[in-house]
Amino acid sequence: MATRRAPRLQPLLLHFAAVVLVAAAVAPAAEATLHPVDYLALQAVRRALSDLPGSRFFASWDFTADPCGFAGVSCTSDGRVDTLALGDPRAGAPGLSGELPAAALARLSALTSLSLVPGHVTGRLPAAVAALPSLRFLALAGNLLSGDLPAAFSPALRTVDLSKNAFSGRIPPSLLQIRGLRTLVLSHNALAGGIPGKVSAPLVHLDLRGNRLSGGVPPLPGTLVYLSLAGNRLSGRVGGVLRRLPRLAFLDLGRNWFTGEVPGEVFSFRIGYLQLRKNAFSGELRPAGRVTPGATVDLSHNALTGRVPPELAPAGEVYLNGNRFAGEVPREIAAAAERGAMRVLYLQDNFLTGIGVGGVPASAAVCAHLNCVSPPPAVVAACPAKGGRGRRRPPAQCGGRRG
């Protein structure tokens, strides 16, 4: 009678059992509380990563004790790792180095939160990690991760922060369609191409600044409170998009190639920081309401025309320099600068014919040179040296404007 041959899988299972038994002999507490797959995954994480000089994050990672008590590790009641926060989270603390242990992280199937403090960690982010089924929080900012972003992400994600790395390629369309995603930060990478056309995630915070994105801006969710697209190569008109974002409190579109008028509605939103500098916005400003008291409004270096609107008077800082504004500065704005409520008022390099600002507090910065009228002495004294002082436009540039 022929002898039955054992399946080839059996030696592998026996080997794995032996490994687990050895681990149990060394660390009985760990075996009693932590699933063996997660135990081996944490060991692989420890082998892959090291403390940078000055960091002692891994000092508590002694595998003769229960890994659920390690710094940055928390576990479920049934012994699965659900949170992994790698590195000392204190401000200014050194981070970690090494290559992201993607294969080990992908085995932590119960992870809901994965974070990595800024440091020198290299490698890629595969879908096997980004798409872990229970992952809700993914933050790997400030490292040296590179390559394309994965095509798939966990449908459970609420927060994704992959900023300040070296990711390239395009933004995966699926990322902007995650049903519960509220915060997406991909700033300061090398991402290129367009912003995906369908943004159905209920985003509150979207930060894509400092990349190489091009093309227009698609319709965005009305849930947005924070939007930064600064420092890209985006173009076209954005008025139709911005009008549908009434909850905005922070808007930065600076250093792009946007054109057309600035929609008047944005001035009536409760925006504390409105940054549109260094684009090609044109036409007159027609605010639909007064700006938020104390707000920063920077419309500098565009091609805006017409008169300076008095609705800007409640702002704390106003930058209108480098445009084509004409006429006189509204008395409301001049008075706000005189009493110091408006801390910064930059009007230089326009075609204004009246400044009307008298005495200015020492705490205020007001500049009005290179207009069609000489700035008052008090304004000259209040303009920082880096802004240039005192000069007016040559009369030939002012045409029939008086000043």
Side-chain angles (χ1 to χ4, degrees):
M1 183 175 179
T3 304
R4 292 181 61 187
R5 298 182 63 184
R8 296 186 63 185
L9 182 60
Q10 187 174 350
L12 294 176
L13 292 174
L14 292 173
H15 175 72
F16 180 75
V19 170
V20 173
L21 288 172
V22 170
V26 175
E31 187 274 338
T33 58
L34 186 63
H35 193 284
V37 170
D38 291 19
Y39 183 93
L40 295 175
L42 289 181
Q43 286 188 321
V45 169
R46 180 63 189 93
R47 288 193 298 270
L49 300 177
S50 302
D51 285 304
L52 286 172
S55 172
R56 289 183 49 79
F57 172 74
F58 281 122
S60 69
W61 282 46
D62 178 358
F63 284 89
T64 62
D66 180 3
C68 291
F70 289 178
V73 178
S74 70
C75 303
T76 63
S77 58
D78 58 350
R80 304 307 302 259
V81 175
D82 65 351
T83 299
L84 187 58
L86 295 168
D88 187 339
R90 293 177 297 179
L96 307 176
S97 63
E99 184 172 348
L100 187 74
L105 295 174
R107 294 198 297 271
L108 298 174
S109 58
L111 267 187
T112 63
S113 177
L114 173 61
S115 61
L116 178 64
V117 301
H120 295 168
V121 176
T122 61
R124 293 173 176 260
L125 175 64
V129 175
L132 284 167
S134 300
L135 194 63
R136 295 167 58 89
F137 182 87
L138 176 63
L140 308 176
N143 281 279
L144 303 174
L145 302 174
S146 59
D148 291 353
L149 296 177
F153 283 80
S154 170
L157 279 165
R158 298 293 183 269
T159 297
V160 175
D161 184 355
L162 303 177
S163 60
K164 297 181 180 178
N165 279 286
F167 289 113
S168 56
R170 293 176 172 266
I171 298 174
S174 62
L175 183 54
L176 293 170
Q177 297 173 26
I178 297 174
R179 282 188 166 186
L181 189 65
R182 307 287 282 176
T183 298
L184 176 60
V185 185
L186 301 178
S187 56
H188 302 295
N189 280 286
L191 298 171
I195 300 173
K198 184 179 180 182
V199 185
S200 57
L203 292 166
V204 173
H205 185 118
L206 176 60
D207 190 347
L208 304 179
R209 62 184 153 171
N211 282 284
R212 301 170 186 172
L213 300 172
S214 59
V217 178
L220 298 173
T223 49
L224 277 172
V225 174
Y226 181 109
L227 174 61
S228 180
L229 305 176
N232 282 286
R233 302 165 185 175
L234 298 166
S235 59
R237 296 173 177 263
V238 291
V241 174
L242 297 180
R243 288 187 182 96
R244 295 179 174 88
L245 305 178
R247 299 183 184 181
L248 281 179
F250 182 104
L251 175 62
D252 188 355
L253 305 182
R255 295 175 291 118
N256 280 287
W257 299 337
F258 293 122
T259 57
E261 294 187 352
V262 177
E265 290 86 346
V266 300
F267 297 99
S268 63
F269 299 163
R270 298 192 62 80
I271 295 182
Y273 187 87
L274 175 59
Q275 172 71 267
L276 304 179
R277 70 187 181 101
K278 293 189 176 179
N279 279 282
F281 289 110
S282 59
E284 298 186 12
L285 293 181
R286 298 184 178 90
R290 295 169 71 81
V291 301
T292 302
T296 294
V297 178
D298 190 345
L299 308 177
S300 61
H301 302 290
N302 280 284
L304 299 169
T305 58
R307 294 180 176 270
V308 175
E311 289 86 353
L312 301 182
E317 299 183 9
V318 174
Y319 302 85
L320 302 178
N321 48 301
N323 281 285
R324 300 172 186 172
F325 289 109
E328 298 186 358
V329 175
R331 183 59 202 152
E332 284 185 70
I333 291 179
E338 289 171 349
R339 66 176 182 270
M342 186 176 289
R343 301 178 302 277
V344 177
L345 176 59
Y346 275 17
L347 303 168
Q348 64 267 35
D349 196 11
N350 279 286
F351 294 87
L352 298 170
T353 55
I355 306 302
V357 179
V360 179
S363 59
V366 181
C367 293
H369 60 279
L370 283 178
N371 278 287
C372 294
V373 62
S374 297
V379 171
V380 174
C383 182
K386 65 180 181 180
R389 293 177 175 177
R391 295 179 297 136
R392 61 166 289 173
R393 282 188 179 278
Q397 295 182 5
C398 292
R401 300 180 178 93
R402 294 183 179 182

